[in-house]
Amino acid sequence: MKNVLIIGSTGQIGSELTMELRNRYNGNIVAGYIPGAEPKGDLLESGPAEIADITDAQKIADIVSKYNIDTIYNLAALLSAVAESKPQLAWKIGMGGLCNVLEVSREKGCAVFTPSSIGVFGNDTPKDQTPQDTICRPATMYGVTKVSGELLSDYYHARFGVDTRSVRFPGLISNVAPPGGGTTDYAVDIYYEAVKSGHFSCPIPKGTFMDMMYMPDALRAAIDLMEVDPACLKHRNSFNIAAMSFDPEIIFNAIKKRMPEFTMDYNIDPLRQRIAESWPNSLDDTCAREEWGWKPSYDLETMTDDMLTILKQRFNK
Ligand code: VAH
């Protein structure tokens, strides 16, 4: 029986990952949260929940012991744009928190999934079909925490045998919990505005391509990687995974094809523009495909159909 702790269970990934894990496994799937971000509705009623502040190592250890946790999904992080406004807090949560999770896992024998990001790449990285193994000199604190997290997680595997695994998520698009403070979040906001107001002011310039992925594919990637036989893995922290790459014009036109009245203009956010332009245009995810069978199910067309259908139902449009 699998017992899992999700730290950050009420965030954009955690709110859906926790439910997916509860649907798949019949053990203790514990929703870890912090005060002020309590689980609600199905997330609260469908399984155990505990306050799990990643900066409190003893609390994490107590939860692991109480529920006999064998796997930790560590989703606690400040996203890229917010992290630029609070770099010290981003480091404290991203790296101080990861140190706590890795130490508890070393002592208790837990496997650990900590998402990385295309944010590990910087202006010196090849932008098109970015390789799995390449230069990672990010220009953001978010990227610094993610590349440092990859290195520390690989160290804990090599030095102590902790089963650490990770994927480099592109921008994630979802319709459950809204994202908060990311550079790619325009690709979520555009769908909501198309349905709610019919107009979107885009903070990212035309021609700025970034890798993106629909949340159902992201959840499957995380779970599939954690379930695969470790003997298959040549890499661990962290795998490039990819699904689609687009700029604001392409996603706007995909929506407009379905909603002809939809309009968009640009109101550029210089910070998000600087961050977005430092990230790749597209990733090479051959290693994930070869080592653990990664393959996306959604492309821009099928994601747009699904997002608009769900949001129109939600907002009675
Ligand atoms: C962000 N959504 O924009 C996150 C993600 C690749 C981007 O890490 O910060």
Side-chain angles (χ1 to χ4, degrees):
M1 184 163 73
K2 281 192 75 71
N3 296 315
V4 181
L5 167 61
I6 301 96
I7 299 174
S9 68
T10 60
Q12 183 194 20
I13 301 173
S15 57
E16 297 191 59
L17 179 65
T18 305
M19 298 306 288
E20 180 64 27
L21 292 169
R22 286 177 174 166
N23 291 335
R24 287 189 187 216
Y25 304 141
N26 57 17
N28 293 315
I29 309 302
V30 182
Y33 66 94
I34 54 172
E38 287 78 3
K40 299 181 177 68
D42 288 350
L43 185 58
L44 177 63
E45 283 141 32
S46 60
E50 294 278 355
I51 291 178
D53 179 342
I54 199 167
T55 64
D56 181 345
Q58 189 53 56
K59 183 66 175 141
I60 301 298
D62 292 346
I63 296 170
V64 168
S65 299
K66 177 178 177 182
Y67 294 94
N68 192 26
I69 298 295
D70 53 68
T71 303
I72 297 176
Y73 283 83
N74 165 28
L75 306 177
L78 293 191
L79 294 182
S80 55
V82 169
E84 284 306 289
S85 63
K86 303 174 185 171
Q88 292 77 12
L89 181 59
W91 179 265
K92 181 180 176 189
I93 293 172
M95 288 309 294
L98 177 60
C99 287
N100 291 340
V101 168
L102 290 172
E103 270 299 289
V104 168
S105 300
R106 179 178 64 81
E107 290 163 13
K108 310 268 186 178
C110 305
V112 181
F113 176 87
T114 301
S116 184
S117 161
I118 60 173
V120 299
F121 302 117
N123 289 312
D124 306 329
T125 306
K127 288 265 188 268
D128 298 308
Q129 286 301 298
T130 300
Q132 171 66 46
D133 301 309
T134 187
I135 189 166
C136 292
R137 293 190 61 79
T140 64
M141 174 55 91
Y142 178 72
V144 168
T145 65
K146 288 303 183 183
V147 72
S148 304
E150 291 187 7
L151 295 172
L152 190 62
S153 297
D154 272 348
Y155 176 83
Y156 264 74
H157 174 66
R159 176 75 174 72
F160 302 115
V162 178
D163 184 2
T164 57
R165 308 182 195 189
S166 174
V167 296
R168 289 167 180 158
F169 280 133
L172 299 183
I173 294 157
S174 63
N175 51 58
V176 178
T183 299
T184 61
D185 296 344
Y186 90 90
V188 178
D189 299 340
I190 192 169
Y191 286 111
Y192 278 80
E193 288 311 315
V195 171
K196 288 163 71 175
S197 69
H199 179 75
F200 180 60
S201 282
C202 187
I204 299 291
K206 177 178 179 180
T208 304
F209 282 78
M210 289 186 274
D211 256 50
M212 300 281 185
M213 186 176 292
Y214 199 25
M215 186 62 80
D217 275 338
L219 302 182
R220 190 166 42 78
I223 298 170
D224 285 358
L225 174 58
M226 292 309 283
E227 287 185 346
V228 76
D229 176 355
C232 302
L233 301 178
K234 298 187 187 80
H235 295 82
R236 280 179 169 267
N237 305 281
S238 175
F239 283 92
N240 286 1
I241 56 171
M244 59 190 96
S245 172
F246 53 74
D247 81 326
E249 286 294 300
I250 291 172
I251 188 172
F252 166 71
N253 287 316
I255 296 171
K256 193 167 181 70
K257 202 161 55 173
R258 294 154 174 87
M259 301 178 71
E261 303 306 307
F262 181 42
T263 58
M264 178 172 81
D265 59 17
Y266 288 91
N267 180 18
I268 303 304
D269 172 352
L271 171 62
R272 282 175 170 80
Q273 177 179 6
R274 172 176 70 81
I275 296 172
E277 288 174 350
S278 74
W279 290 353
N281 298 324
S282 60
L283 293 193
D284 174 358
D285 61 359
T286 304
C287 293
R289 291 170 185 261
E290 289 178 349
E291 295 179 37
W292 48 278
W294 157 248
K295 188 172 181 299
S297 302
Y298 286 88
D299 61 14
L300 180 59
E301 296 304 317
T302 51
M303 174 175 72
T304 299
D305 284 337
D306 203 53
M307 282 291 284
L308 293 179
T309 300
I310 289 169
L311 293 177
K312 284 178 180 175
Q313 285 167 357
R314 183 176 309 163
F315 298 110
N316 300 314
K317 295 282 185 176

